[in-house]
Amino acid sequence: MAPHKEPDSSRRSDRSRRAIYDAALALVGEAGYRRTTIEGIAARAGVGKQTIYRWWPSKAAVLMEAFLDLATRAAEEAGPQAGGAEYSIPDTGDLAADLKLVLRATVDELNDPLMEAPTRALTAEGVVDAKLGAEFVEKLLDPQLALYVTRLRAAQEAGQLRPDAEPRIALELLIAPLTHRWLLRTLPLTHAYADTIVDYALGGLAPRP
């Protein structure tokens, strides 16, 4: 007779956690942040409400962790960095090409139905809920923006950008138009638009003769 094996509690917990992540993201995309509840997440995930409260203190905490996990998985699926390094904006020596590559990937991510609905819901709620908005910026946006700062500073050191340009402001010339078009749905969000943003931004940031 084969020896009796105890259930693997860690594996069961991982499955439950994944189910909760998926349920939270699905519900916030379908019903919006305010109408999403812990009870609804638990029912969709097939777990008890107390399981969620044991791991997270609030609905916001569940959704934030679920969204960060989604963003991490999206980055991993985009492909590992050389040598297993943490993700960074490529530095091929061609700043325009590197930025276009990254902005095109951002366009694809924002247009992905899996990412779009929860991103819109959390972005909208962050506008009216200052605490959630600050957490969204700290945990998700700031680490991503720091990658742009690093790449733009390297471009400055290489003489590709004006030495007096402030990287933190310069990156907003790239990110803000993309976000504005996506958030307000003013016009289609496309690769061609991303390329044009880079061309316009770098035209104003290039060293002056």
Side-chain angles (χ1 to χ4, degrees):
M1 180 180 294
H4 174 70
K5 291 185 178 180
E6 293 294 330
D8 188 336
S9 59
S10 63
R11 182 174 298 177
R12 185 171 63 248
S13 293
D14 287 342
R15 284 200 301 267
S16 296
R17 191 177 295 271
R18 177 65 56 205
I20 291 167
Y21 286 163
D22 292 342
L25 293 170
L27 285 174
V28 78
E30 294 167 9
Y33 178 85
R34 299 200 171 218
R35 294 178 61 188
T36 298
T37 64
I38 292 291
E39 291 78 5
I41 294 171
R44 175 73 70 96
V47 301
K49 182 171 64 173
Q50 291 308 313
T51 297
I52 295 180
Y53 281 120
R54 186 167 63 248
W55 290 339
W56 295 281
S58 65
K59 173 181 74 173
V62 178
L63 289 167
M64 186 60 63
E65 189 171 310
F67 191 82
L68 290 170
D69 176 74
L70 178 63
T72 298
R73 282 186 285 156
E76 291 173 348
E77 290 171 3
Q81 294 282 288
E86 292 185 5
Y87 182 78
S88 61
I89 294 178
D91 187 348
T92 65
D94 185 336
L95 178 62
D98 295 341
L99 291 176
K100 287 177 182 180
L101 179 68
V102 173
L103 284 183
R104 283 182 172 217
T106 302
V107 166
D108 292 340
E109 184 176 290
L110 292 174
N111 285 331
D112 182 349
L114 184 64
M115 292 287 293
E116 181 179 14
T119 304
R120 284 189 180 279
L122 285 172
T123 300
E125 186 61 23
V127 172
V128 295
D129 183 335
K131 183 178 179 181
L132 181 67
E135 188 176 5
F136 190 77
V137 169
E138 177 188 356
K139 293 185 176 179
L140 185 72
L141 292 185
D142 277 348
Q144 294 179 353
L145 297 181
L147 302 178
Y148 283 89
V149 170
T150 298
R151 182 64 185 88
L152 291 172
R153 281 183 176 152
Q156 276 183 317
E157 293 172 0
Q160 297 170 338
L161 294 182
R162 285 166 32 196
D164 63 334
E166 170 51 55
R168 186 58 179 77
I169 296 176
L171 72 87
E172 292 177 358
L173 300 177
L174 301 164
I175 300 299
L178 208 67
T179 304
H180 179 273
R181 181 174 284 205
W182 170 78
L183 193 59
L184 299 182
R185 296 187 174 99
T186 54
L187 288 168
L189 196 63
T190 64
H191 286 179
Y193 178 61
D195 290 351
T196 301
I197 289 173
V198 173
D199 290 338
Y200 283 11
L202 292 187
L205 293 169
R208 294 168 179 160

